[in-house]
Amino acid sequence: MSLSSTVLTGILTSESVNARELPMDSWVFGLIALVIFAALAFVTASYRDVANRHRAKAEAFAARHGADHGEHGGH
């Protein structure tokens, strides 16, 4: 009997499966991922419209350095 047939026979006749159990129910992993993505979405949304909070600073900079920078301050 060859090695491959011995291994194949051993796999097919084995009754116990060496599967590891998860430490939590599977839906808990989905819930953890959802909470993490929601937190990241909140952080991303908190940076919305940050540039407009400092419009007076941008206008003062443009006035000091000439109006050739345009509306976006050289970006």
Side-chain angles (χ1 to χ4, degrees):
M1 194 178 250
S2 69
L3 178 63
S4 60
S5 64
T6 304
V7 171
L8 184 61
T9 305
I11 291 173
L12 294 176
T13 59
S14 67
E15 294 179 14
S16 65
V17 177
N18 292 331
R20 301 181 91 179
E21 289 190 30
L22 296 174
M24 299 176 275
D25 288 335
S26 59
W27 64 269
V28 177
F29 290 102
L31 181 65
I32 291 170
L34 183 67
V35 168
I36 289 172
F37 283 127
L40 291 173
F42 176 75
V43 169
T44 302
S46 69
Y47 282 97
R48 185 180 179 137
D49 206 29
V50 169
N52 288 333
R53 293 179 188 165
H54 306 289
R55 183 171 291 174
K57 272 185 168 179
E59 289 171 355
F61 177 83
R64 279 194 314 263
H65 295 91
D68 61 340
H69 288 288
E71 181 179 315
H72 298 289
H75 290 276

Coordinates of all heavy atoms in Angstrom, one line a residue:
M1 N 0.9 -1.2 0.0 CA 0.0 0.0 0.0 C 0.9 1.2 0.0 O 1.8 1.3 0.8 CB -0.9 0.0 1.2 CG -2.0 0.9 1.2 SD -3.0 0.7 2.7 CE -4.5 0.0 2.0
S2 N 0.6 2.2 -0.8 CA 1.4 3.4 -0.9 C 1.1 4.4 0.2 O 0.0 4.3 0.8 CB 1.2 4.0 -2.3 OG 0.0 4.6 -2.4
L3 N 1.9 5.3 0.3 CA 1.7 6.3 1.4 C 0.4 7.2 1.1 O -0.3 7.4 2.1 CB 2.9 7.3 1.5 CG 2.8 8.4 2.5 CD1 2.7 7.8 3.9 CD2 4.0 9.3 2.4
S4 N 0.2 7.5 -0.1 CA -1.0 8.4 -0.4 C -2.3 7.6 -0.2 O -3.2 8.2 0.3 CB -0.9 8.9 -1.9 OG -0.9 7.8 -2.8
S5 N -2.3 6.3 -0.5 CA -3.5 5.6 -0.2 C -3.7 5.3 1.3 O -4.8 5.3 1.8 CB -3.5 4.2 -1.0 OG -2.4 3.4 -0.5
T6 N -2.6 5.2 2.0 CA -2.7 5.1 3.5 C -3.3 6.3 4.1 O -4.2 6.3 5.0 CB -1.3 4.8 4.1 OG1 -0.8 3.6 3.4 CG2 -1.4 4.5 5.6
V7 N -2.8 7.5 3.6 CA -3.3 8.8 4.2 C -4.7 9.0 3.8 O -5.5 9.4 4.6 CB -2.4 9.9 3.6 CG1 -3.0 11.3 4.0 CG2 -1.0 9.8 4.2
L8 N -5.1 8.7 2.5 CA -6.4 8.8 2.1 C -7.4 7.9 2.8 O -8.5 8.3 3.3 CB -6.5 8.5 0.6 CG -7.9 8.7 -0.1 CD1 -8.3 10.2 0.1 CD2 -7.9 8.3 -1.5
T9 N -7.0 6.7 3.1 CA -7.8 5.7 3.9 C -8.0 6.2 5.3 O -9.1 6.2 5.9 CB -7.2 4.3 3.9 OG1 -7.0 3.9 2.5 CG2 -8.0 3.3 4.6
G10 N -6.9 6.8 5.9 CA -7.0 7.3 7.2 C -7.9 8.5 7.3 O -8.6 8.7 8.3
I11 N -7.9 9.3 6.3 CA -8.8 10.5 6.3 C -10.2 10.1 6.2 O -11.1 10.6 6.8 CB -8.4 11.5 5.2 CG1 -7.0 12.1 5.5 CG2 -9.4 12.6 5.0 CD1 -6.4 13.0 4.4
L12 N -10.5 9.2 5.2 CA -11.9 8.7 5.0 C -12.5 7.9 6.1 O -13.7 8.0 6.3 CB -11.9 7.9 3.7 CG -11.6 8.7 2.4 CD1 -11.6 7.8 1.2 CD2 -12.6 9.8 2.2
T13 N -11.7 7.2 6.8 CA -12.2 6.4 7.9 C -12.2 7.1 9.3 O -12.7 6.5 10.3 CB -11.4 5.1 8.0 OG1 -10.1 5.4 8.3 CG2 -11.6 4.2 6.8
S14 N -11.6 8.2 9.4 CA -11.6 8.9 10.7 C -12.9 9.4 11.1 O -13.7 9.9 10.2 CB -10.6 10.1 10.6 OG -11.0 11.1 9.8
E15 N -13.3 9.2 12.3 CA -14.6 9.6 12.8 C -14.6 10.9 13.5 O -15.6 11.6 13.5 CB -15.1 8.5 13.7 CG -15.4 7.2 13.0 CD -15.9 6.1 13.9 OE1 -16.3 6.5 15.1 OE2 -15.8 5.0 13.6
S16 N -13.5 11.3 14.0 CA -13.5 12.6 14.8 C -12.9 13.7 13.9 O -12.0 13.4 13.1 CB -12.6 12.5 16.0 OG -11.3 12.2 15.6
V17 N -13.5 14.8 14.0 CA -13.1 16.0 13.2 C -12.4 16.9 14.2 O -12.9 17.2 15.3 CB -14.3 16.7 12.6 CG1 -13.8 17.9 11.8 CG2 -15.0 15.7 11.6
N18 N -11.2 17.4 13.8 CA -10.4 18.2 14.7 C -10.8 19.7 14.4 O -9.9 20.5 14.2 CB -8.9 18.0 14.4 CG -8.5 16.6 14.9 OD1 -9.1 16.1 15.8 ND2 -7.5 16.1 14.3
A19 N -12.1 20.0 14.5 CA -12.5 21.4 14.3 C -12.4 22.1 15.7 O -12.8 21.5 16.7 CB -13.9 21.4 13.8
R20 N -12.0 23.3 15.6 CA -12.0 24.1 16.9 C -13.3 24.9 17.0 O -13.8 25.5 16.0 CB -10.8 25.1 16.9 CG -9.5 24.3 16.7 CD -8.4 25.2 16.7 NE -7.9 25.4 18.1 CZ -6.9 26.1 18.5 NH1 -6.3 26.8 17.6 NH2 -6.6 26.1 19.7
E21 N -13.8 25.0 18.2 CA -15.0 25.8 18.4 C -14.6 27.2 18.5 O -13.6 27.6 19.1 CB -15.7 25.3 19.7 CG -16.3 23.9 19.5 CD -17.3 23.6 20.7 OE1 -17.8 24.6 21.3 OE2 -17.4 22.4 21.0
L22 N -15.5 28.1 18.1 CA -15.3 29.5 18.2 C -15.5 29.9 19.7 O -16.3 29.3 20.4 CB -16.3 30.3 17.3 CG -16.1 30.0 15.8 CD1 -17.3 30.7 15.1 CD2 -14.8 30.5 15.4
P23 N -14.8 30.9 20.1 CA -15.0 31.4 21.5 C -16.3 32.1 21.8 O -16.7 32.2 22.9 CB -13.8 32.3 21.8 CG -13.4 32.8 20.4 CD -13.8 31.7 19.5
M24 N -17.0 32.5 20.7 CA -18.3 33.2 20.9 C -19.2 32.7 19.8 O -18.7 32.0 18.8 CB -18.1 34.7 20.7 CG -17.2 35.4 21.7 SD -17.0 37.1 21.3 CE -15.7 37.1 20.1
D25 N -20.5 33.0 19.9 CA -21.4 32.7 18.8 C -21.0 33.4 17.5 O -20.4 34.5 17.6 CB -22.8 33.0 19.2 CG -23.4 32.1 20.2 OD1 -22.9 30.9 20.3 OD2 -24.3 32.5 20.9
S26 N -21.3 32.9 16.4 CA -20.9 33.5 15.1 C -21.5 34.9 14.9 O -20.9 35.8 14.4 CB -21.2 32.7 13.9 OG -22.6 32.4 13.9
W27 N -22.7 35.2 15.4 CA -23.3 36.5 15.2 C -22.6 37.6 16.0 O -22.7 38.7 15.7 CB -24.8 36.4 15.5 CG -25.1 36.1 17.0 CD1 -25.3 34.9 17.5 CD2 -25.2 37.0 18.1 NE1 -25.5 35.0 18.9 CE2 -25.5 36.3 19.2 CE3 -25.1 38.4 18.2 CZ2 -25.7 36.9 20.5 CZ3 -25.3 39.0 19.4 CH2 -25.6 38.3 20.5
V28 N -21.9 37.2 17.1 CA -21.2 38.2 17.9 C -20.0 38.8 17.1 O -19.8 40.0 17.2 CB -20.7 37.5 19.2 CG1 -19.9 38.5 20.0 CG2 -21.8 37.0 20.0
F29 N -19.4 38.0 16.3 CA -18.3 38.5 15.4 C -18.9 39.6 14.5 O -18.2 40.6 14.2 CB -17.6 37.4 14.7 CG -16.8 36.5 15.5 CD1 -17.3 35.3 15.9 CD2 -15.6 36.9 16.0 CE1 -16.5 34.4 16.7 CE2 -14.8 36.1 16.8 CZ -15.3 34.9 17.2
G30 N -20.0 39.3 13.9 CA -20.7 40.3 13.0 C -21.1 41.6 13.8 O -20.9 42.7 13.3
L31 N -21.5 41.4 15.0 CA -21.9 42.6 15.8 C -20.6 43.4 16.1 O -20.7 44.7 16.1 CB -22.6 42.1 17.1 CG -23.0 43.2 18.1 CD1 -24.1 44.1 17.4 CD2 -23.5 42.6 19.4
I32 N -19.5 42.8 16.4 CA -18.3 43.5 16.7 C -17.8 44.3 15.5 O -17.5 45.4 15.6 CB -17.2 42.5 17.2 CG1 -17.6 42.0 18.6 CG2 -15.8 43.2 17.2 CD1 -16.7 40.8 19.1
A33 N -17.9 43.6 14.3 CA -17.5 44.3 13.1 C -18.4 45.5 12.8 O -18.0 46.6 12.4 CB -17.6 43.3 11.9
L34 N -19.7 45.3 13.1 CA -20.7 46.4 12.9 C -20.4 47.6 13.8 O -20.4 48.8 13.4 CB -22.1 45.9 13.1 CG -23.2 46.9 12.9 CD1 -23.3 47.3 11.4 CD2 -24.5 46.4 13.3
V35 N -20.1 47.3 15.0 CA -19.7 48.4 16.0 C -18.4 49.1 15.5 O -18.4 50.4 15.6 CB -19.6 47.8 17.4 CG1 -19.0 48.9 18.4 CG2 -21.0 47.4 17.9
I36 N -17.5 48.4 15.1 CA -16.2 49.0 14.7 C -16.4 49.9 13.4 O -15.9 51.0 13.4 CB -15.1 47.9 14.4 CG1 -14.7 47.3 15.7 CG2 -13.9 48.5 13.6 CD1 -13.8 46.1 15.5
F37 N -17.2 49.4 12.5 CA -17.5 50.2 11.3 C -18.3 51.4 11.6 O -18.1 52.5 11.0 CB -18.1 49.4 10.2 CG -17.2 48.4 9.5 CD1 -17.5 47.1 9.4 CD2 -16.0 48.9 8.9 CE1 -16.6 46.2 8.7 CE2 -15.2 48.1 8.2 CZ -15.5 46.7 8.1
A38 N -19.2 51.3 12.5 CA -20.0 52.5 12.9 C -19.1 53.5 13.6 O -19.3 54.7 13.4 CB -21.1 52.0 13.9
A39 N -18.2 53.1 14.4 CA -17.3 54.0 15.1 C -16.4 54.7 14.0 O -16.2 55.9 14.1 CB -16.4 53.3 16.1
L40 N -15.9 54.0 13.1 CA -15.1 54.6 12.0 C -15.9 55.5 11.2 O -15.4 56.6 10.7 CB -14.5 53.5 11.1 CG -13.4 52.6 11.8 CD1 -13.0 51.5 10.9 CD2 -12.2 53.5 12.1
A41 N -17.2 55.2 10.9 CA -18.0 56.1 10.2 C -18.3 57.4 10.9 O -18.3 58.5 10.4 CB -19.4 55.4 9.9
F42 N -18.4 57.3 12.3 CA -18.6 58.5 13.1 C -17.3 59.4 13.0 O -17.4 60.6 12.9 CB -18.9 58.1 14.5 CG -19.0 59.3 15.5 CD1 -20.1 60.1 15.4 CD2 -17.9 59.6 16.3 CE1 -20.2 61.2 16.3 CE2 -18.0 60.6 17.2 CZ -19.1 61.5 17.2
V43 N -16.2 58.8 13.1 CA -14.9 59.5 13.1 C -14.8 60.2 11.7 O -14.4 61.4 11.6 CB -13.7 58.6 13.3 CG1 -12.4 59.3 13.0 CG2 -13.7 58.2 14.8
T44 N -15.1 59.5 10.6 CA -15.0 60.1 9.3 C -16.0 61.2 9.2 O -15.7 62.3 8.6 CB -15.3 59.0 8.2 OG1 -14.4 58.0 8.4 CG2 -15.2 59.6 6.8
A45 N -17.2 61.1 9.6 CA -18.2 62.1 9.5 C -17.9 63.3 10.4 O -18.3 64.5 10.1 CB -19.6 61.6 9.9
S46 N -17.1 63.2 11.4 CA -16.8 64.3 12.3 C -15.8 65.2 11.6 O -15.7 66.4 12.0 CB -16.2 63.8 13.6 OG -14.9 63.2 13.4
Y47 N -15.1 64.8 10.6 CA -14.2 65.7 9.8 C -14.9 66.4 8.7 O -14.3 67.1 7.9 CB -13.0 64.9 9.3 CG -12.0 64.6 10.3 CD1 -12.0 63.4 11.0 CD2 -11.0 65.5 10.7 CE1 -11.0 63.1 12.0 CE2 -10.1 65.3 11.6 CZ -10.1 64.1 12.3 OH -9.2 63.8 13.2
R48 N -16.2 66.2 8.5 CA -16.9 66.8 7.5 C -17.0 68.3 7.6 O -17.3 68.8 8.7 CB -18.4 66.3 7.5 CG -19.2 66.7 6.3 CD -20.5 66.1 6.4 NE -21.3 66.6 5.3 CZ -22.1 65.9 4.5 NH1 -22.3 64.6 4.8 NH2 -22.8 66.4 3.6
D49 N -16.7 69.0 6.6 CA -16.8 70.5 6.6 C -15.8 71.2 7.5 O -16.1 72.3 8.0 CB -18.2 70.9 6.9 CG -18.6 72.3 6.3 OD1 -18.0 72.6 5.2 OD2 -19.4 73.0 6.9
V50 N -14.7 70.6 7.8 CA -13.7 71.1 8.6 C -13.0 72.4 8.0 O -12.8 73.4 8.7 CB -12.6 70.1 9.0 CG1 -11.4 70.8 9.7 CG2 -13.1 69.0 9.9
A51 N -12.8 72.4 6.7 CA -12.2 73.5 6.0 C -13.0 74.8 6.2 O -12.5 75.9 6.3 CB -12.0 73.2 4.6
N52 N -14.3 74.7 6.2 CA -15.2 75.9 6.3 C -15.2 76.4 7.7 O -15.7 77.6 7.8 CB -16.6 75.5 5.8 CG -16.6 75.3 4.3 OD1 -15.8 75.9 3.6 ND2 -17.6 74.5 3.8
R53 N -14.8 75.7 8.6 CA -14.7 76.3 10.0 C -13.7 77.4 10.1 O -13.7 78.2 11.0 CB -14.4 75.2 11.0 CG -15.5 74.1 11.1 CD -15.1 73.1 12.1 NE -16.1 72.0 12.0 CZ -15.9 70.8 12.5 NH1 -14.8 70.5 13.2 NH2 -16.8 69.9 12.4
H54 N -12.7 77.4 9.2 CA -11.6 78.3 9.3 C -11.6 79.2 8.1 O -10.5 79.6 7.6 CB -10.3 77.6 9.4 CG -10.3 76.6 10.6 ND1 -10.2 77.0 11.9 CD2 -10.3 75.2 10.6 CE1 -10.2 75.9 12.6 NE2 -10.3 74.8 11.9
R55 N -12.7 79.6 7.6 CA -12.8 80.4 6.4 C -12.2 81.8 6.6 O -11.5 82.3 5.7 CB -14.3 80.6 6.0 CG -14.4 81.4 4.7 CD -15.8 81.4 4.2 NE -16.0 80.0 3.7 CZ -17.2 79.5 3.3 NH1 -18.2 80.3 3.3 NH2 -17.4 78.3 2.9
A56 N -12.3 82.4 7.8 CA -11.8 83.7 8.1 C -10.2 83.7 8.0 O -9.6 84.6 7.5 CB -12.2 84.2 9.4
K57 N -9.7 82.6 8.5 CA -8.2 82.4 8.4 C -7.7 82.3 7.0 O -6.7 82.9 6.6 CB -7.8 81.2 9.2 CG -7.5 81.3 10.6 CD -7.0 80.0 11.1 CE -6.4 80.1 12.5 NZ -5.9 78.9 13.0
A58 N -8.5 81.5 6.2 CA -8.1 81.3 4.8 C -8.2 82.7 4.0 O -7.3 83.0 3.2 CB -9.0 80.3 4.2
E59 N -9.2 83.4 4.3 CA -9.4 84.7 3.6 C -8.3 85.7 4.0 O -7.8 86.4 3.2 CB -10.8 85.3 3.9 CG -11.9 84.5 3.2 CD -13.2 84.9 3.6 OE1 -13.4 85.8 4.5 OE2 -14.2 84.4 3.0
A60 N -7.9 85.7 5.3 CA -6.8 86.6 5.8 C -5.5 86.1 5.2 O -4.7 87.0 4.8 CB -6.8 86.5 7.3
F61 N -5.3 84.9 5.1 CA -4.0 84.4 4.4 C -4.0 84.8 3.0 O -2.9 85.3 2.5 CB -3.9 82.9 4.5 CG -2.7 82.3 3.8 CD1 -1.5 82.3 4.5 CD2 -2.8 81.8 2.6 CE1 -0.4 81.7 3.8 CE2 -1.8 81.2 1.9 CZ -0.5 81.2 2.6
A62 N -5.1 84.7 2.3 CA -5.1 85.1 0.9 C -4.9 86.5 0.7 O -4.3 87.0 -0.3 CB -6.5 84.6 0.3
A63 N -5.5 87.3 1.6 CA -5.3 88.8 1.5 C -3.9 89.2 1.8 O -3.3 90.1 1.1 CB -6.2 89.5 2.5
R64 N -3.2 88.5 2.7 CA -1.8 88.8 3.0 C -0.8 88.4 1.9 O 0.2 89.1 1.6 CB -1.3 88.1 4.3 CG -1.7 88.8 5.5 CD -1.0 88.3 6.7 NE -1.0 86.8 6.8 CZ -1.8 86.1 7.5 NH1 -2.7 86.6 8.2 NH2 -1.7 84.8 7.5
H65 N -1.1 87.3 1.2 CA -0.2 86.8 0.3 C -0.7 87.0 -1.2 O -0.2 86.3 -2.1 CB 0.0 85.3 0.5 CG 0.7 85.0 1.8 ND1 0.0 84.8 3.0 CD2 2.0 84.9 2.1 CE1 0.8 84.6 4.0 NE2 2.0 84.6 3.5
G66 N -1.6 87.8 -1.4 CA -2.1 88.1 -2.7 C -3.2 87.2 -3.1 O -3.4 86.1 -2.6
A67 N -4.0 87.7 -4.0 CA -5.2 86.9 -4.4 C -4.9 85.9 -5.5 O -5.8 85.3 -6.0 CB -6.3 87.9 -4.9
D68 N -3.6 85.8 -5.9 CA -3.3 84.8 -7.0 C -3.4 83.4 -6.6 O -3.3 82.5 -7.4 CB -1.9 85.1 -7.6 CG -0.8 85.0 -6.5 OD1 -1.2 85.1 -5.3 OD2 0.3 84.8 -6.9
H69 N -3.6 83.1 -5.3 CA -3.7 81.8 -4.8 C -5.1 81.2 -5.2 O -5.3 80.0 -5.1 CB -3.6 81.7 -3.3 CG -2.1 81.9 -2.8 ND1 -1.2 80.9 -3.0 CD2 -1.5 82.9 -2.2 CE1 0.0 81.4 -2.6 NE2 -0.2 82.6 -2.1
G70 N -6.0 82.0 -5.5 CA -7.3 81.6 -5.9 C -8.2 81.2 -4.7 O -7.8 81.5 -3.5
E71 N -9.3 80.6 -5.0 CA -10.3 80.3 -3.9 C -9.8 79.2 -3.0 O -10.2 79.2 -1.8 CB -11.6 79.9 -4.6 CG -12.7 79.6 -3.6 CD -13.9 79.2 -4.4 OE1 -14.3 79.8 -5.3 OE2 -14.6 78.2 -3.9
H72 N -9.0 78.3 -3.4 CA -8.6 77.2 -2.6 C -7.2 77.4 -1.9 O -6.7 76.4 -1.3 CB -8.5 75.9 -3.5 CG -9.9 75.6 -4.1 ND1 -10.9 75.1 -3.3 CD2 -10.3 75.7 -5.3 CE1 -11.9 74.9 -4.1 NE2 -11.6 75.2 -5.3
G73 N -6.7 78.5 -2.0 CA -5.5 78.7 -1.2 C -4.3 78.0 -1.8 O -3.4 77.6 -1.0
G74 N -4.2 77.7 -3.0 CA -3.1 77.1 -3.7 C -3.1 75.6 -3.7 O -2.2 75.0 -4.1
H75 N -4.2 75.0 -3.3 CA -4.3 73.5 -3.4 C -4.8 73.1 -4.7 O -5.7 73.5 -5.3 CB -5.2 73.0 -2.3 CG -4.6 73.2 -1.0 ND1 -3.7 72.2 -0.4 CD2 -4.8 74.1 0.0 CE1 -3.4 72.6 0.8 NE2 -4.0 73.8 1.0

